Amino acid sequence: MDESLNTAQSQLQVMEFFATVLQDKELLNRLMQAMAAKDNAAMITIAAERGYNFSQESLHQGLTKIFHLIEPIMQEQNLAVSKE
């Protein structure tokens, strides 16, 4: 039970971190560079600078969850643009 709670809390921290990133253009640029380079250590360091603490596994799980949430929105936007 504790392990699943910790996993959920870590994933929530990842999602909160990304919400913070979206509000800071400089931070977003740094994170996008780290993501493009697939540099998980840099992403975790950037998060730690902002007071977030999560593992690489939690980062991966959180990113997966975020992309699953964003993907339908992106597809809908692409369909809307293609219909215009």
Side-chain angles (χ1 to χ4, degrees):
M1 177 79 166
D2 284 341
E3 187 175 325
S4 64
L5 180 61
N6 289 337
T7 299
Q9 288 174 334
S10 292
Q11 288 178 4
L12 182 59
Q13 270 202 1
V14 172
M15 295 179 86
E16 288 174 354
F17 169 64
F18 277 92
T20 299
V21 166
L22 292 174
Q23 298 174 30
D24 183 328
K25 190 172 184 175
E26 181 182 327
L27 189 59
L28 178 60
N29 287 335
R30 286 180 61 204
L31 187 67
M32 294 303 288
Q33 289 174 351
M35 289 177 74
K38 297 183 180 182
D39 188 345
N40 289 341
M43 287 185 258
I44 290 173
T45 298
I46 294 167
E49 290 170 0
R50 297 291 178 157
Y52 295 93
N53 182 24
F54 44 79
S55 68
Q56 286 193 9
E57 179 63 27
S58 294
L59 174 64
H60 175 73
Q61 291 173 352
L63 285 173
T64 300
K65 196 169 263 192
I66 289 167
F67 287 124
H68 285 312
L69 291 170
I70 292 174
E71 188 175 34
I73 296 167
M74 298 291 286
Q75 289 175 348
E76 187 174 305
Q77 290 296 323
N78 287 338
L79 286 174
V81 170
S82 67
K83 289 180 181 178
E84 290 178 0

